[in-house]
Amino acid sequence: MGKTKNRREELKRAWQSFKQRGSADGEVRQEVFESWERCRQLNQTDFHNDKKRWPPADDEKVQKILNQNEILISTASLLLSRIAEMVSDSQYVISLHDRHCYMIDRYFAGNSLVFPQGSFQIGEKWDEAHFGTNAPHLCMKYDKPFLLDGAEHYYEIFHHLSCVAVPIHSEEGEIIGCVSMIGGYSENTSHTLGLVSAVAYLIETQLKLTKTVQTAAASFDTVAEGWGVLNADYTVRRVSPYTGHMLNVKKEELRNLNFAGMFAYEDFKKRLEDGEASFSYPEYDLDIDGRKVRCNVTVAPVKIMNRFVGVVLILREIKDVIRLANKVMGNRSYYCFSDIITEDKEIMAQIKTMKSIAATDCSVLIEGESGVGKELFAHSIHSTSRRLSGPFIVVNCASIPQNLVESELFGYEKGAFTGASSNGSPGKFELADGGTIFLDEIGELPLEIQAKLLRVLDNHRVRRIGAKTEHPLDIRVIAATNRHLWDEVEKKNFRGDLYFRINVVKFNIPPLRERRGDVLLLADYFLSNISRKEENIYKQFTEGFRQMIQEYSWPGNVRELQNAVARAFYASRTSLIEAEDLPQEVVSRVLEIRGNGDKASGQGETKLPCAKSGTAYGSENEKAEKPAHCNANYAQTKMQFECESILAAIRMNNGNVTAAGMSLGMSKSTIYRKIKKYGIRLN
């Protein structure tokens, strides 16, 4: 007691000295002395019961402050009230302040009349301008617990009190307020500091937990999946609103759902009772009052101290699972009508019609020889339709083994046949739900499958092998064949009713031999693509090459032309692609046609013209001349190809460098820079 009295008297002398001379006689903490200095600079003088220091708080402003700190207040209120009860036989004010030092809550223990009249009101700002040196302000200023005794307070009216304040931090470590405890000056202040520190810690912990729960609840309520938390007796503890949307159950009925009853006993309770860890069902028909809802289900038991306390259920709609699977497998369209290279009037007219019907859901049949690009047109129709964001499933009917066609198209249930997956599998039609299914080479389907396909197309519902129920489909069907399908109908190889079902709109893509104007156009396009792929190795076709590809009939259509251009590009040894670089069957067939033509006209043996030398193969000038002005160090390299490409372009453009650069995709400055680099002489 004597020690406390001496300390009290020492602080009193120091305070009086500061008030009189601005300096303190005795030991005063640096933080306290600096606070006194700030208070003096604010022109504050001592006062006794000066109620002007605590003007009435503005109700509207106070309410705004309380609203801003609602979570902090609700979190701390129970703890503060309990502390007030614990010290009810003493005289204390337990208060809560926000980060700006406004008092936002407080509890009195004992007789509140012993405290200064008019103070300790909700909404008061405990800064130095209003309350002088005080613990709530200092603890947040220095971010540490603060104990202020007696005369350490700047105002004498508080000298008989001790004040303890401890800051409260957010999860990120920011100060969001403080908790304070003010009572009579005594020797037990160290105990008070420990108690307040514990309360502040508990408030911080509870705030973190509250934030975690609120974040989880927000996620729980907004995620586009069904979530359910069940108690140990399988009653509902919490369920997400989206679950009701998935299961077509009203929001007010969700908590009464019998989740366990949606599963067969052996599929749910027995597995949980056997202590099985988390398990899932890729597809499960949940039984909801006799209704079947197919979902992807994950079941996770919850255990605390190795004791089963509940279950977490995660439900996903099958269409979302299929959408994700399609994304992973790349089941989407890759081409649009702008990717179709043509100047043929017939094809351009068909494209115009395709664009107009793309907006509808009518079935489309595309006929044409192999290699004309039927799939490209199917991709483009889907890319122009309202189903663009949906899947585009390609099925090559000719490549599926006959015994697997039905399961591939329509799917199967688990255990439907020997070798079937234990989880079952969706078919191509289910994968295409919400999008387009492209049945390529549909004419190759067995007749028994054609009958089942017709049923699916008629009612837009599919039944898996081994299933008891059908599932609705929202799909568009595009079919293609390299046969004349009506001829197959007449031969009894294709069902007539299915033909008319898929033949709502039919397009016939003409073969390449009937659109000669597209041959050079496509060849240049393929050459440009290869050049970009090979890091801009520029090559050009000779006139002899161009003449030969125009004379060939291209029985393999666009696909054969593309492969021939690629072969010629890689076979050529210079930057000029010769006719001799074409596949042998192309060269032989053209020479044969020319020979037959010459014999019919009475001419002798035909020579294949060489555009570079102006002679024929087999002559003394058979080998193509090499550019004379390129540095030999670039031979058989990318740089030589580039050098030769520039030379050839300049020659083909009669010495016009700018035009040569444009034909190579180079700017004027770029081609001149490369001419200088390779030492090419222009004269």
Side-chain angles (χ1 to χ4, degrees):
M1 181 69 179
K3 184 177 181 181
T4 302
K5 183 178 180 181
N6 291 338
R7 175 61 179 159
R8 181 185 305 172
E9 293 174 351
E10 182 180 353
L11 287 174
K12 189 71 172 181
R13 287 194 299 271
W15 177 80
Q16 290 173 339
S17 173
F18 179 83
K19 297 291 284 185
Q20 295 170 1
R21 300 187 300 274
S23 61
D25 293 340
E27 185 177 344
V28 178
R29 285 180 289 175
Q30 184 66 28
E31 298 95 336
V32 173
F33 185 81
E34 290 174 356
S35 176
W36 288 356
E37 287 280 8
R38 289 191 297 271
C39 291
R40 178 188 289 274
Q41 292 172 9
L42 291 170
N43 296 319
Q44 296 179 5
T45 57
D46 190 25
F47 66 94
H48 296 277
N49 296 325
D50 185 357
K51 294 184 180 181
K52 293 181 180 180
R53 289 290 173 183
W54 300 305
D58 179 83
D59 291 342
E60 184 176 347
K61 183 177 180 180
V62 170
Q63 190 58 51
K64 182 178 180 180
I65 293 170
L66 297 180
N67 292 339
Q68 291 172 343
N69 294 277
E70 183 179 358
I71 295 177
L72 177 59
I73 295 170
S74 61
T75 302
S77 61
L78 179 61
L79 287 169
L80 299 186
S81 63
R82 291 288 177 84
I83 296 299
E85 291 175 5
M86 291 170 57
V87 296
S88 59
D89 57 344
S90 304
Q91 303 294 337
Y92 282 103
V93 177
I94 300 97
S95 60
L96 181 68
H97 302 257
D98 73 356
R99 62 192 181 93
H100 300 296
C101 234
Y102 285 104
M103 182 182 287
I104 54 178
D105 201 5
R106 51 98 174 91
Y107 293 85
F108 290 99
N111 187 357
S112 61
L113 296 178
V114 302
F115 299 104
Q117 296 300 304
S119 63
F120 300 102
Q121 299 300 310
I122 300 298
E124 289 177 343
K125 187 171 185 178
W126 280 58
D127 58 359
E128 290 174 335
H130 293 87
F131 283 82
T133 305
N134 64 88
H137 175 81
L138 292 179
C139 87
M140 286 191 280
K141 178 177 178 61
Y142 295 104
D143 192 10
K144 66 179 183 180
F146 222 97
L147 168 62
L148 209 63
D149 276 332
E152 286 184 313
H153 294 91
Y154 186 75
Y155 292 135
E156 188 174 11
I157 196 173
F158 296 126
H159 284 188
H160 67 293
L161 299 175
S162 288
C163 182
V164 172
V166 178
I168 300 170
H169 301 87
S170 68
E171 191 173 5
E172 294 75 25
E174 297 179 352
I175 297 176
I176 58 174
C178 74
V179 59
S180 173
M181 195 165 175
I182 302 176
Y185 196 176
S186 70
E187 294 183 344
N188 297 322
T189 51
S190 60
H191 300 290
T192 305
L193 179 60
L195 179 61
V196 176
S197 296
V199 172
Y201 173 77
L202 290 174
I203 293 173
E204 289 179 348
T205 303
Q206 188 62 38
L207 284 171
K208 292 177 183 178
L209 180 59
T210 300
K211 182 178 179 180
T212 300
V213 171
Q214 288 179 333
T215 302
S219 302
F220 197 85
D221 290 342
T222 59
V223 70
E225 291 180 344
W227 286 71
V229 180
L230 311 183
N231 296 311
D233 60 356
Y234 305 115
T235 57
V236 174
R237 182 179 183 85
R238 187 181 179 95
V239 62
S240 69
Y242 194 80
T243 306
H245 170 75
M246 283 183 58
L247 304 181
N248 195 22
V249 175
K250 295 179 180 179
K251 183 178 180 180
E252 57 271 18
E253 298 175 358
L254 283 175
R255 293 191 63 86
N256 297 322
L257 279 176
N258 179 13
F259 277 96
M262 297 179 189
F263 298 84
Y265 171 75
E266 62 275 9
D267 285 342
F268 190 74
K269 291 184 179 180
K270 188 175 187 304
R271 295 181 70 169
L272 289 169
E273 291 167 1
D274 289 344
E276 191 167 340
S278 300
F279 52 92
S280 62
Y281 306 102
E283 295 178 275
Y284 199 98
D285 287 327
L286 297 175
D287 186 350
I288 305 173
D289 296 330
R291 289 188 298 110
K292 298 293 184 182
V293 178
R294 178 160 290 192
C295 296
N296 171 275
V297 183
T298 299
V299 182
V302 180
K303 294 184 178 181
I304 298 178
M305 302 295 290
N306 207 32
R307 184 171 65 89
F308 176 71
V309 296
V311 183
V312 174
L313 287 176
I314 304 173
L315 311 177
R316 301 178 183 87
E317 292 187 87
I318 286 299
K319 66 179 182 181
D320 292 333
V321 177
I322 289 177
R323 187 182 298 116
L324 178 60
N326 283 325
K327 184 176 181 180
V328 172
M329 293 187 291
N331 291 332
R332 61 182 181 86
S333 57
Y334 291 92
Y335 307 104
C336 55
F337 287 116
S338 61
D339 295 315
I340 299 175
I341 309 300
T342 185
E343 290 181 347
D344 184 79
K345 292 183 179 180
E346 181 181 349
I347 290 184
M348 292 174 71
Q350 293 199 63
I351 289 175
K352 186 176 181 180
T353 304
M354 288 180 184
K355 288 181 178 178
S356 64
I357 65 98
T360 71
D361 279 339
C362 68
S363 299
V364 177
L365 175 61
I366 304 174
E367 290 187 351
E369 295 179 5
S370 293
V372 295
K374 298 185 291 295
E375 184 173 331
L376 179 61
F377 288 92
H379 276 266
S380 301
I381 292 172
H382 176 78
S383 297
T384 313
S385 73
R386 65 176 179 83
R387 298 176 177 273
L388 171 60
S389 59
F392 181 78
I393 306 296
V394 178
V395 182
N396 190 320
C397 301
S399 66
I400 307 174
Q402 187 166 345
N403 62 327
L404 296 178
V405 174
E406 185 176 2
S407 61
E408 281 289 309
L409 291 180
F410 310 127
Y412 58 87
E413 294 292 284
K414 61 181 180 179
F417 51 83
T418 303
S421 168
S422 59
N423 294 317
S425 176
K428 300 297 186 183
F429 274 87
E430 281 188 68
L431 291 176
D433 193 26
T436 301
I437 187 167
F438 174 51
L439 301 174
D440 197 10
E441 305 300 349
I442 192 172
E444 308 301 321
L445 284 177
L447 283 168
E448 61 271 21
I449 299 299
Q450 292 179 28
K452 295 181 179 180
L453 174 59
L454 177 63
R455 177 177 173 78
V456 172
L457 298 185
D458 276 342
N459 60 19
H460 282 259
R461 301 181 71 86
V462 65
R463 185 197 302 269
R464 294 185 183 182
I465 299 174
K468 297 179 181 179
T469 58
E470 293 181 327
H471 297 286
L473 295 175
D474 173 24
I475 58 172
R476 184 198 199 137
V477 177
I478 301 177
T481 178
N482 60 3
R483 302 184 182 189
H484 291 291
L485 211 53
W486 180 245
D487 292 344
E488 298 301 314
V489 172
E490 292 184 327
K491 294 175 184 177
K492 307 299 182 183
N493 294 328
F494 198 84
R495 293 178 61 103
D497 46 7
L498 179 58
Y499 173 79
F500 290 114
R501 185 66 184 79
I502 62 176
N503 185 17
V504 177
V505 180
K506 184 170 76 171
F507 297 98
N508 289 288
I509 309 302
L512 190 56
R513 63 181 174 275
E514 295 180 9
R515 42 191 176 105
R516 293 289 182 177
D518 283 349
V519 174
L520 291 178
L521 186 68
L522 288 165
D524 287 335
Y525 174 77
F526 296 142
L527 177 62
S528 175
N529 281 350
I530 298 172
S531 295
R532 286 196 298 270
K533 178 182 176 183
E534 297 299 329
E535 298 182 355
N536 297 324
I537 295 178
Y538 299 105
K539 295 189 179 186
Q540 289 185 326
F541 300 135
T542 64
E543 196 59 38
F545 181 96
R546 290 176 175 273
Q547 183 178 342
M548 180 163 283
I549 63 174
Q550 284 184 296
E551 293 181 39
Y552 185 61
S553 62
W554 301 108
N557 292 293
V558 178
R559 185 183 296 120
E560 184 185 7
L561 174 61
Q562 183 177 12
N563 292 338
V565 170
R567 193 266 186 199
F569 181 92
Y570 294 113
S572 63
R573 291 170 294 174
T574 70
S575 62
L576 294 178
I577 301 175
E578 304 278 6
E580 65 178 353
D581 296 321
L582 283 164
Q584 184 59 42
E585 61 269 20
V586 176
V587 176
S588 298
R589 179 56 182 159
V590 173
L591 290 177
E592 180 184 347
I593 294 171
R594 290 178 180 177
N596 292 335
D598 290 341
K599 289 176 183 179
S601 63
Q603 297 180 10
E605 184 179 353
T606 301
K607 298 291 185 179
L608 184 63
C610 174
K612 287 197 289 186
S613 62
T615 62
Y617 291 108
S619 71
E620 59 182 359
N621 294 320
E622 177 179 334
K623 293 185 178 179
E625 61 182 36
K626 299 284 185 181
H629 309 296
C630 288
N631 190 319
N633 292 332
Y634 296 120
Q636 301 302 319
T637 65
K638 173 186 171 183
M639 288 181 285
Q640 184 191 6
F641 282 134
E642 190 171 53
C643 174
E644 293 173 352
S645 298
I646 294 171
L647 268 171
I650 293 173
R651 288 173 180 168
M652 293 180 69
N653 287 279
N654 300 318
N656 187 324
V657 176
T658 303
M662 292 177 63
S663 69
L664 294 173
M666 297 181 185
S667 65
K668 182 178 179 180
S669 59
T670 299
I671 193 169
Y672 272 108
R673 186 174 70 251
K674 291 184 180 293
I675 287 172
K676 181 178 180 181
K677 173 182 176 181
Y678 297 129
I680 298 174
R681 296 197 301 272
L682 298 177
N683 50 9

